[in-house]
Amino acid sequence: MARTTQLVLEILNAEKERLFQYASYRLHDIRDVEDVLQDIYVKILDNPEHFNKTKNKRAYLYRTLSNECTDHLRTLVVKYIAI
C-alpha cells in the first residue's frame, strides 16, 4: 500500500466516529449513513494525492460528507416524488 494511501486511511480512521455522528444527524437512517460514508471513503481513496494536497483535511472531509449527504437526500426526494 502506498504511503499516501496509508496516511489517508489513518486520517479517516481518526475521524470515523465524528463523521458517522455527523452523517447520522443529517440522514437519520443507519443504512443511508453507511452508504454515504462508504461513498466518500471510496472517492477520497481513489484520489489520495488530491486529499493530501488539501491544507485543512478535516474541513475537506466534512465538506465532502456534507455534499454527499445533500446529494443522497436529493435522490430520496426524487424517488419519493416519482412514487
Side-chain angles (χ1 to χ4, degrees):
M1 184 177 310
R3 179 170 163 69
T4 303
T5 303
Q6 183 63 35
L7 292 172
V8 171
L9 286 172
E10 288 175 14
I11 293 168
L12 288 172
N13 283 330
E15 292 294 321
K16 180 173 51 177
E17 287 183 36
R18 285 183 225 111
L19 292 170
F20 186 86
Q21 289 173 350
Y22 178 76
S24 295
Y25 171 76
R26 295 276 314 268
L27 301 176
H28 307 290
D29 183 342
I30 189 90
R31 293 168 298 197
D32 291 340
V33 170
E34 290 170 349
D35 288 344
V36 166
L37 286 174
Q38 183 177 5
D39 290 345
I40 70 158
Y41 278 37
V42 169
K43 284 181 181 181
I44 291 170
L45 289 171
D46 278 348
N47 195 357
E49 290 79 19
H50 177 71
F51 180 74
N52 280 334
K53 289 179 186 175
T54 306
K55 289 182 181 179
N56 190 340
K57 291 170 180 36
R58 188 168 186 229
Y60 180 84
L61 277 175
Y62 282 93
R63 175 53 59 195
T64 303
L65 179 57
S66 177
N67 291 343
E68 198 67 32
C69 287
T70 301
D71 290 346
H72 185 77
L73 290 170
R74 231 182 255 136
T75 302
L76 291 177
V77 168
V78 169
K79 286 181 183 176
Y80 180 76
I81 291 172
I83 293 176

Coordinates of all heavy atoms in Angstrom, one line a residue:
M1 N 0.8 -1.2 0.0 CA 0.0 0.0 0.0 C 0.9 1.2 0.0 O 1.9 1.3 0.7 CB -0.9 0.0 1.2 CG -1.9 1.1 1.3 SD -3.0 1.0 2.7 CE -3.6 -0.6 2.7
A2 N 0.5 2.2 -0.8 CA 1.3 3.4 -0.9 C 1.3 4.2 0.4 O 0.3 4.2 1.1 CB 0.8 4.2 -2.1
R3 N 2.3 4.9 0.6 CA 2.4 5.7 1.8 C 1.3 6.8 1.9 O 0.7 7.0 2.9 CB 3.8 6.4 1.9 CG 3.9 7.3 3.1 CD 5.4 7.7 3.3 NE 5.5 8.9 4.1 CZ 5.4 8.9 5.4 NH1 4.9 7.8 6.0 NH2 5.6 10.0 6.2
T4 N 1.0 7.4 0.7 CA -0.1 8.4 0.7 C -1.4 7.8 1.1 O -2.2 8.3 1.9 CB -0.2 8.9 -0.7 OG1 1.1 9.5 -1.1 CG2 -1.2 10.0 -0.8
T5 N -1.7 6.6 0.6 CA -3.0 5.9 0.9 C -3.0 5.6 2.4 O -4.1 5.7 3.0 CB -3.1 4.6 0.1 OG1 -3.1 5.0 -1.3 CG2 -4.4 4.0 0.3
Q6 N -1.9 5.2 2.9 CA -1.8 4.8 4.4 C -2.1 6.1 5.2 O -2.9 6.0 6.2 CB -0.5 4.2 4.7 CG -0.3 3.8 6.1 CD -1.3 2.7 6.5 OE1 -1.6 1.8 5.7 NE2 -1.8 2.7 7.7
L7 N -1.6 7.2 4.9 CA -1.8 8.4 5.6 C -3.3 8.8 5.5 O -3.9 9.2 6.5 CB -1.0 9.6 5.1 CG 0.5 9.4 5.3 CD1 1.3 10.5 4.6 CD2 0.8 9.5 6.8
V8 N -3.9 8.7 4.4 CA -5.3 9.0 4.2 C -6.2 8.0 5.1 O -7.1 8.5 5.8 CB -5.8 8.8 2.7 CG1 -7.3 8.9 2.6 CG2 -5.1 9.9 1.9
L9 N -5.8 6.8 5.1 CA -6.6 5.8 5.9 C -6.5 6.2 7.4 O -7.4 6.0 8.2 CB -6.1 4.4 5.7 CG -6.5 3.8 4.4 CD1 -5.8 2.4 4.2 CD2 -8.0 3.6 4.4
E10 N -5.3 6.6 7.9 CA -5.1 7.0 9.3 C -6.0 8.2 9.6 O -6.6 8.2 10.7 CB -3.6 7.3 9.5 CG -2.7 6.1 9.5 CD -1.3 6.5 9.7 OE1 -1.0 7.7 10.0 OE2 -0.4 5.6 9.4
I11 N -6.1 9.2 8.7 CA -6.9 10.3 9.0 C -8.4 9.9 9.0 O -9.2 10.3 9.9 CB -6.7 11.4 7.9 CG1 -5.3 12.0 8.1 CG2 -7.7 12.5 8.0 CD1 -4.8 12.8 7.0
L12 N -8.8 9.1 8.0 CA -10.2 8.6 8.0 C -10.6 7.8 9.3 O -11.6 8.0 9.8 CB -10.4 7.8 6.8 CG -10.5 8.5 5.4 CD1 -10.5 7.5 4.3 CD2 -11.7 9.5 5.4
N13 N -9.7 7.0 9.7 CA -9.9 6.2 10.9 C -10.0 7.1 12.2 O -10.8 6.9 13.1 CB -8.9 5.1 11.1 CG -9.1 4.0 10.2 OD1 -10.2 3.6 9.9 ND2 -8.0 3.3 9.8
A14 N -9.2 8.2 12.2 CA -9.2 9.1 13.3 C -10.5 9.8 13.4 O -11.0 10.2 14.5 CB -8.0 10.0 13.3
E15 N -11.1 10.1 12.3 CA -12.4 10.9 12.2 C -13.6 10.1 12.1 O -14.7 10.6 12.0 CB -12.3 11.9 11.0 CG -11.3 13.0 11.2 CD -11.6 13.9 12.3 OE1 -12.8 14.3 12.5 OE2 -10.7 14.4 13.0
K16 N -13.5 8.8 12.0 CA -14.6 7.8 11.7 C -15.8 8.1 12.6 O -16.9 8.2 12.0 CB -14.1 6.4 11.9 CG -15.1 5.3 11.6 CD -14.4 3.9 11.6 CE -13.6 3.7 12.8 NZ -13.1 2.3 12.9
E17 N -15.7 8.1 13.9 CA -16.8 8.3 14.7 C -17.5 9.6 14.6 O -18.7 9.7 14.5 CB -16.4 8.1 16.2 CG -16.1 6.6 16.5 CD -15.8 6.4 18.0 OE1 -16.4 7.1 18.8 OE2 -14.9 5.6 18.2
R18 N -16.7 10.7 14.4 CA -17.3 12.0 14.2 C -18.0 12.1 12.9 O -19.1 12.7 12.8 CB -16.3 13.1 14.4 CG -15.9 13.3 15.8 CD -14.9 14.4 16.0 NE -13.9 14.0 16.9 CZ -12.6 13.7 16.6 NH1 -12.2 13.9 15.4 NH2 -11.8 13.2 17.5
L19 N -17.4 11.5 11.9 CA -18.1 11.5 10.5 C -19.4 10.8 10.6 O -20.4 11.2 10.0 CB -17.2 10.9 9.5 CG -15.9 11.7 9.1 CD1 -15.0 10.9 8.3 CD2 -16.3 13.0 8.4
F20 N -19.4 9.6 11.3 CA -20.6 8.8 11.5 C -21.7 9.6 12.2 O -22.9 9.6 11.8 CB -20.3 7.5 12.2 CG -21.5 6.6 12.3 CD1 -21.7 5.7 11.3 CD2 -22.3 6.6 13.4 CE1 -22.8 4.8 11.4 CE2 -23.4 5.8 13.5 CZ -23.6 4.9 12.4
Q21 N -21.3 10.3 13.3 CA -22.3 11.1 14.0 C -22.9 12.3 13.2 O -24.1 12.5 13.2 CB -21.6 11.7 15.3 CG -21.3 10.7 16.3 CD -20.5 11.3 17.5 OE1 -20.0 12.4 17.4 NE2 -20.4 10.5 18.5
Y22 N -22.0 12.9 12.4 CA -22.5 14.0 11.5 C -23.5 13.5 10.5 O -24.5 14.0 10.3 CB -21.3 14.7 10.9 CG -21.7 15.8 9.9 CD1 -22.2 17.0 10.4 CD2 -21.7 15.6 8.6 CE1 -22.6 18.0 9.6 CE2 -22.1 16.6 7.7 CZ -22.6 17.8 8.2 OH -23.0 18.8 7.4
A23 N -23.1 12.4 9.8 CA -24.0 11.8 8.8 C -25.3 11.3 9.4 O -26.3 11.4 8.8 CB -23.2 10.7 8.1
S24 N -25.2 10.8 10.6 CA -26.4 10.3 11.3 C -27.4 11.5 11.6 O -28.6 11.4 11.5 CB -26.1 9.6 12.6 OG -25.4 8.4 12.4
Y25 N -26.8 12.6 12.0 CA -27.6 13.8 12.2 C -28.3 14.2 11.0 O -29.4 14.7 11.0 CB -26.7 14.9 12.8 CG -27.3 16.2 12.9 CD1 -28.2 16.5 13.9 CD2 -27.0 17.2 11.9 CE1 -28.8 17.8 14.0 CE2 -27.6 18.5 12.0 CZ -28.5 18.7 13.1 OH -29.1 20.0 13.1
R26 N -27.6 14.2 9.8 CA -28.2 14.6 8.6 C -29.2 13.6 8.0 O -30.1 14.0 7.3 CB -27.1 14.9 7.6 CG -26.1 16.0 7.9 CD -26.6 17.4 7.5 NE -27.2 17.5 6.2 CZ -26.5 17.8 5.1 NH1 -25.2 18.1 5.1 NH2 -27.1 18.0 3.9
L27 N -28.9 12.3 8.1 CA -29.7 11.3 7.3 C -30.7 10.5 8.2 O -31.7 10.0 7.6 CB -28.7 10.4 6.6 CG -27.8 11.0 5.6 CD1 -26.8 10.0 5.1 CD2 -28.5 11.8 4.5
H28 N -30.4 10.3 9.4 CA -31.3 9.6 10.3 C -31.6 8.1 10.0 O -32.4 7.5 10.6 CB -32.7 10.3 10.4 CG -32.6 11.8 10.7 ND1 -32.2 12.2 12.0 CD2 -32.8 12.9 9.9 CE1 -32.2 13.6 11.9 NE2 -32.6 14.0 10.7
D29 N -30.9 7.6 9.1 CA -31.0 6.2 8.7 C -29.7 5.5 8.7 O -28.8 5.9 7.9 CB -31.8 6.0 7.4 CG -32.1 4.6 7.0 OD1 -31.5 3.7 7.6 OD2 -32.9 4.4 6.2
I30 N -29.4 4.5 9.5 CA -28.1 3.9 9.6 C -27.6 3.3 8.3 O -26.5 3.4 8.0 CB -28.1 2.8 10.7 CG1 -26.7 2.3 11.0 CG2 -29.0 1.6 10.4 CD1 -26.0 3.1 12.1
R31 N -28.5 2.8 7.5 CA -28.1 2.2 6.2 C -27.7 3.3 5.2 O -26.7 3.2 4.5 CB -29.3 1.4 5.6 CG -29.6 0.1 6.4 CD -30.9 -0.5 5.9 NE -31.9 0.5 6.2 CZ -33.2 0.3 6.2 NH1 -33.6 -0.9 6.0 NH2 -34.1 1.3 6.5
D32 N -28.4 4.4 5.2 CA -28.0 5.5 4.4 C -26.7 6.1 4.9 O -25.8 6.5 4.0 CB -29.1 6.6 4.4 CG -30.4 6.2 3.7 OD1 -30.3 5.3 2.9 OD2 -31.4 6.8 4.0
V33 N -26.5 6.2 6.2 CA -25.2 6.7 6.7 C -24.1 5.9 6.3 O -23.0 6.4 5.8 CB -25.3 6.8 8.3 CG1 -23.9 7.1 8.9 CG2 -26.3 7.8 8.7
E34 N -24.2 4.6 6.4 CA -23.1 3.6 6.0 C -22.8 3.8 4.5 O -21.7 3.7 4.1 CB -23.5 2.2 6.4 CG -23.5 2.0 7.9 CD -24.1 0.7 8.3 OE1 -24.7 0.0 7.5 OE2 -23.9 0.3 9.5
D35 N -23.9 3.9 3.7 CA -23.7 4.0 2.3 C -22.9 5.3 1.9 O -22.0 5.3 1.1 CB -25.0 4.0 1.5 CG -25.7 2.7 1.5 OD1 -25.0 1.7 1.8 OD2 -26.9 2.6 1.2
V36 N -23.4 6.4 2.5 CA -22.7 7.7 2.2 C -21.3 7.7 2.7 O -20.4 8.2 2.0 CB -23.5 8.8 2.9 CG1 -22.8 10.1 2.9 CG2 -24.9 9.0 2.1
L37 N -21.0 7.2 3.9 CA -19.6 7.1 4.4 C -18.8 6.3 3.5 O -17.6 6.6 3.2 CB -19.6 6.6 5.8 CG -20.1 7.6 6.9 CD1 -20.1 6.9 8.2 CD2 -19.2 8.8 6.9
Q38 N -19.3 5.1 3.0 CA -18.5 4.3 2.1 C -18.2 5.1 0.8 O -17.1 5.0 0.3 CB -19.3 3.0 1.8 CG -18.5 2.1 0.9 CD -19.3 0.8 0.7 OE1 -20.4 0.6 1.1 NE2 -18.6 -0.1 0.0
D39 N -19.2 5.8 0.3 CA -19.0 6.6 -0.9 C -17.9 7.6 -0.8 O -17.1 7.7 -1.7 CB -20.3 7.2 -1.3 CG -21.4 6.3 -1.8 OD1 -21.0 5.1 -2.1 OD2 -22.6 6.7 -1.9
I40 N -17.9 8.3 0.3 CA -16.8 9.3 0.5 C -15.5 8.7 0.7 O -14.5 9.2 0.2 CB -17.1 10.4 1.5 CG1 -17.1 9.8 2.9 CG2 -18.4 11.1 1.3 CD1 -16.8 10.9 4.0
Y41 N -15.4 7.6 1.4 CA -14.2 6.9 1.6 C -13.6 6.4 0.2 O -12.4 6.6 -0.1 CB -14.3 5.6 2.5 CG -14.3 5.9 3.9 CD1 -14.9 7.0 4.5 CD2 -13.8 5.0 4.8 CE1 -14.9 7.3 5.8 CE2 -13.8 5.2 6.2 CZ -14.4 6.4 6.7 OH -14.4 6.6 8.0
V42 N -14.5 5.9 -0.6 CA -14.0 5.5 -2.0 C -13.5 6.7 -2.8 O -12.5 6.6 -3.4 CB -15.2 4.7 -2.7 CG1 -14.8 4.5 -4.2 CG2 -15.4 3.4 -2.0
K43 N -14.3 7.8 -2.8 CA -13.9 9.0 -3.5 C -12.6 9.5 -3.1 O -11.7 9.8 -3.9 CB -15.0 10.1 -3.3 CG -16.2 9.9 -4.1 CD -17.2 11.0 -3.9 CE -18.4 10.8 -4.7 NZ -19.4 11.9 -4.6
I44 N -12.3 9.5 -1.8 CA -11.1 10.0 -1.2 C -9.9 9.1 -1.5 O -8.8 9.5 -1.9 CB -11.2 10.4 0.3 CG1 -12.1 11.6 0.4 CG2 -9.9 10.6 0.9 CD1 -12.5 11.9 1.8
L45 N -10.2 7.8 -1.4 CA -9.1 6.8 -1.6 C -8.8 6.6 -3.1 O -7.7 6.2 -3.4 CB -9.5 5.5 -1.0 CG -9.4 5.4 0.5 CD1 -10.0 4.1 1.1 CD2 -8.0 5.6 1.0
D46 N -9.7 7.0 -4.0 CA -9.5 6.9 -5.4 C -8.5 8.0 -5.8 O -7.8 7.9 -6.8 CB -10.8 7.1 -6.2 CG -11.5 5.8 -6.3 OD1 -11.0 4.7 -6.0 OD2 -12.7 5.9 -6.8
N47 N -8.4 9.1 -5.0 CA -7.5 10.2 -5.4 C -6.8 10.7 -4.1 O -7.1 11.9 -3.7 CB -8.3 11.3 -6.1 CG -7.4 12.3 -6.8 OD1 -6.2 12.2 -6.7 ND2 -8.0 13.2 -7.5
P48 N -6.0 9.9 -3.5 CA -5.4 10.3 -2.2 C -4.4 11.5 -2.3 O -4.2 12.3 -1.4 CB -4.6 9.1 -1.7 CG -4.4 8.3 -2.9 CD -5.5 8.6 -3.9
E49 N -3.8 11.7 -3.5 CA -2.9 12.8 -3.7 C -3.6 14.1 -3.6 O -3.1 15.1 -3.0 CB -2.2 12.7 -5.1 CG -1.2 11.6 -5.2 CD -1.8 10.2 -5.4 OE1 -3.0 10.2 -5.9 OE2 -1.2 9.2 -5.2
H50 N -4.8 14.2 -4.1 CA -5.6 15.4 -4.1 C -6.0 15.7 -2.6 O -5.9 16.9 -2.1 CB -6.9 15.3 -4.9 CG -7.8 16.5 -4.8 ND1 -7.5 17.7 -5.3 CD2 -9.0 16.6 -4.1 CE1 -8.5 18.5 -5.1 NE2 -9.4 17.9 -4.3
F51 N -6.3 14.7 -1.9 CA -6.7 14.9 -0.4 C -5.4 15.4 0.3 O -5.5 16.2 1.2 CB -7.2 13.5 0.1 CG -7.5 13.6 1.6 CD1 -8.7 14.2 2.0 CD2 -6.7 13.0 2.5 CE1 -9.0 14.3 3.4 CE2 -7.0 13.0 3.9 CZ -8.2 13.7 4.3
N52 N -4.3 14.8 0.0 CA -3.1 15.2 0.8 C -2.6 16.6 0.4 O -1.9 17.2 1.2 CB -1.9 14.2 0.5 CG -2.1 12.9 1.4 OD1 -2.7 13.0 2.4 ND2 -1.6 11.8 0.9
K53 N -3.0 17.1 -0.7 CA -2.6 18.5 -1.1 C -3.5 19.5 -0.4 O -3.1 20.7 -0.3 CB -2.7 18.7 -2.6 CG -1.7 18.0 -3.4 CD -1.9 18.2 -4.9 CE -0.9 17.3 -5.7 NZ -1.2 17.4 -7.1
T54 N -4.6 19.1 0.2 CA -5.5 19.9 0.9 C -4.9 20.4 2.2 O -4.4 19.6 2.9 CB -6.8 19.2 1.1 OG1 -7.3 18.6 -0.1 CG2 -7.9 20.1 1.7
K55 N -5.0 21.7 2.5 CA -4.5 22.2 3.7 C -5.2 21.8 4.9 O -4.6 21.3 5.9 CB -4.4 23.7 3.6 CG -3.4 24.3 2.7 CD -3.3 25.8 2.7 CE -2.3 26.2 1.6 NZ -2.2 27.7 1.6
N56 N -6.5 21.9 4.9 CA -7.3 21.6 6.1 C -8.1 20.3 5.7 O -9.2 20.3 5.2 CB -8.3 22.7 6.4 CG -9.0 22.5 7.7 OD1 -9.1 21.3 8.2 ND2 -9.5 23.5 8.3
K57 N -7.5 19.2 6.1 CA -8.0 17.9 5.7 C -9.4 17.6 6.4 O -10.2 17.0 5.8 CB -7.0 16.8 6.0 CG -5.8 16.8 5.0 CD -4.7 15.9 5.5 CE -3.5 16.0 4.6 NZ -3.1 17.2 4.0
R58 N -9.5 18.0 7.6 CA -10.7 17.7 8.4 C -11.9 18.5 7.7 O -13.0 17.9 7.5 CB -10.5 18.1 9.8 CG -11.7 17.7 10.7 CD -11.3 17.9 12.2 NE -12.4 17.4 13.0 CZ -12.9 18.0 14.0 NH1 -12.4 19.2 14.3 NH2 -13.9 17.5 14.7
A59 N -11.7 19.7 7.4 CA -12.7 20.5 6.7 C -13.1 19.9 5.3 O -14.2 19.9 5.0 CB -12.2 22.0 6.5
Y60 N -12.1 19.4 4.6 CA -12.3 18.7 3.4 C -13.2 17.5 3.6 O -14.1 17.3 2.8 CB -11.0 18.4 2.7 CG -11.1 17.7 1.4 CD1 -11.2 18.4 0.2 CD2 -11.1 16.3 1.3 CE1 -11.4 17.8 -1.0 CE2 -11.2 15.7 0.1 CZ -11.3 16.4 -1.1 OH -11.5 15.8 -2.3
L61 N -12.9 16.7 4.6 CA -13.7 15.5 4.9 C -15.2 15.9 5.1 O -16.1 15.3 4.6 CB -13.2 14.8 6.1 CG -12.0 13.9 5.9 CD1 -11.6 13.3 7.3 CD2 -12.4 12.7 5.0
Y62 N -15.4 16.9 6.0 CA -16.7 17.3 6.3 C -17.4 17.9 5.2 O -18.7 17.7 5.0 CB -16.7 18.2 7.6 CG -16.5 17.4 8.8 CD1 -15.3 17.1 9.4 CD2 -17.6 16.7 9.4 CE1 -15.1 16.4 10.5 CE2 -17.5 16.0 10.6 CZ -16.2 15.8 11.1 OH -16.0 15.0 12.2
R63 N -16.8 18.7 4.4 CA -17.4 19.3 3.2 C -17.8 18.2 2.2 O -18.9 18.2 1.6 CB -16.5 20.3 2.5 CG -17.0 20.9 1.2 CD -18.4 21.5 1.3 NE -18.4 22.6 2.3 CZ -19.6 23.1 2.8 NH1 -20.7 22.6 2.4 NH2 -19.5 24.0 3.7
T64 N -16.9 17.2 2.0 CA -17.2 16.1 1.1 C -18.4 15.3 1.6 O -19.3 15.0 0.9 CB -16.0 15.2 0.9 OG1 -14.9 16.0 0.5 CG2 -16.3 14.1 0.0
L65 N -18.4 15.1 2.9 CA -19.5 14.3 3.6 C -20.8 15.1 3.5 O -21.9 14.6 3.2 CB -19.2 14.0 5.0 CG -20.3 13.3 5.8 CD1 -20.7 12.0 5.1 CD2 -19.8 13.1 7.2
S66 N -20.8 16.4 3.7 CA -22.0 17.3 3.7 C -22.5 17.3 2.2 O -23.8 17.1 2.1 CB -21.6 18.7 4.1 OG -22.7 19.5 3.9
N67 N -21.7 17.4 1.3 CA -22.2 17.4 -0.1 C -22.8 16.0 -0.5 O -23.8 15.9 -1.2 CB -21.0 17.7 -1.1 CG -20.5 19.1 -1.0 OD1 -21.2 20.0 -0.5 ND2 -19.4 19.4 -1.5
E68 N -22.2 14.9 0.0 CA -22.7 13.6 -0.3 C -24.0 13.4 0.4 O -24.9 12.8 -0.2 CB -21.6 12.6 0.1 CG -21.8 11.2 -0.5 CD -21.6 11.2 -2.0 OE1 -20.8 11.9 -2.5 OE2 -22.3 10.3 -2.6
C69 N -24.2 13.9 1.6 CA -25.4 13.8 2.3 C -26.5 14.5 1.6 O -27.7 14.0 1.4 CB -25.3 14.3 3.7 SG -24.4 13.2 4.9
T70 N -26.2 15.7 1.1 CA -27.2 16.5 0.4 C -27.6 15.8 -0.9 O -28.8 15.8 -1.3 CB -26.6 17.9 0.0 OG1 -26.2 18.6 1.3 CG2 -27.5 18.8 -0.7
D71 N -26.6 15.3 -1.6 CA -26.9 14.5 -2.9 C -27.8 13.3 -2.6 O -28.8 13.0 -3.3 CB -25.6 14.0 -3.6 CG -24.8 15.2 -4.1 OD1 -25.4 16.3 -4.3 OD2 -23.7 14.9 -4.5
H72 N -27.5 12.6 -1.5 CA -28.3 11.5 -1.1 C -29.8 11.9 -0.8 O -30.7 11.2 -1.2 CB -27.7 10.8 0.1 CG -28.4 9.5 0.4 ND1 -28.2 8.3 -0.3 CD2 -29.3 9.2 1.4 CE1 -29.0 7.4 0.2 NE2 -29.6 7.9 1.3
L73 N -29.9 13.0 0.0 CA -31.3 13.4 0.3 C -32.0 13.9 -0.9 O -33.2 13.6 -1.1 CB -31.2 14.6 1.3 CG -30.7 14.1 2.7 CD1 -30.4 15.4 3.6 CD2 -31.7 13.2 3.4
R74 N -31.3 14.5 -1.8 CA -31.9 14.9 -3.1 C -32.5 13.7 -3.9 O -33.6 13.7 -4.4 CB -30.9 15.6 -4.0 CG -31.4 17.0 -4.5 CD -30.4 17.6 -5.3 NE -29.8 18.7 -4.6 CZ -28.5 19.0 -4.5 NH1 -27.6 18.2 -5.2 NH2 -28.0 20.0 -3.8
T75 N -31.7 12.6 -3.9 CA -32.1 11.4 -4.6 C -33.3 10.8 -3.9 O -34.2 10.3 -4.6 CB -30.9 10.4 -4.5 OG1 -29.8 11.0 -5.1 CG2 -31.3 9.1 -5.2
L76 N -33.4 10.8 -2.6 CA -34.5 10.3 -1.9 C -35.8 11.1 -2.2 O -36.9 10.5 -2.4 CB -34.3 10.3 -0.4 CG -33.3 9.4 0.2 CD1 -33.1 9.6 1.7 CD2 -33.6 7.9 -0.1
V77 N -35.7 12.4 -2.3 CA -36.8 13.2 -2.7 C -37.3 12.9 -4.1 O -38.5 12.8 -4.3 CB -36.5 14.7 -2.5 CG1 -37.5 15.6 -3.1 CG2 -36.2 15.1 -1.1
V78 N -36.4 12.8 -5.0 CA -36.8 12.4 -6.4 C -37.5 11.1 -6.4 O -38.5 10.9 -7.1 CB -35.5 12.4 -7.3 CG1 -35.9 11.8 -8.7 CG2 -35.0 13.8 -7.4
K79 N -37.0 10.1 -5.7 CA -37.6 8.8 -5.6 C -39.0 8.9 -5.0 O -39.9 8.2 -5.5 CB -36.7 7.8 -4.8 CG -35.5 7.3 -5.6 CD -34.7 6.3 -4.7 CE -33.5 5.9 -5.4 NZ -32.6 5.1 -4.5
Y80 N -39.1 9.7 -4.0 CA -40.4 9.8 -3.3 C -41.4 10.5 -4.2 O -42.6 10.1 -4.3 CB -40.2 10.6 -2.0 CG -41.5 10.8 -1.2 CD1 -42.1 9.8 -0.5 CD2 -42.2 12.1 -1.3 CE1 -43.3 10.0 0.2 CE2 -43.4 12.3 -0.6 CZ -43.9 11.2 0.1 OH -45.1 11.4 0.8
I81 N -41.0 11.5 -4.9 CA -41.9 12.2 -5.8 C -42.3 11.3 -7.0 O -43.5 11.3 -7.4 CB -41.3 13.5 -6.4 CG1 -41.1 14.5 -5.2 CG2 -42.0 14.1 -7.5 CD1 -40.3 15.7 -5.6
A82 N -41.4 10.4 -7.4 CA -41.7 9.5 -8.6 C -42.7 8.5 -8.2 O -43.4 7.9 -9.0 CB -40.4 8.8 -9.0
I83 N -42.9 8.2 -6.9 CA -43.9 7.2 -6.5 C -45.2 7.7 -6.5 O -46.1 7.9 -7.0 CB -43.6 6.7 -5.0 CG1 -42.2 6.0 -5.0 CG2 -44.7 5.8 -4.5 CD1 -41.8 5.6 -3.6

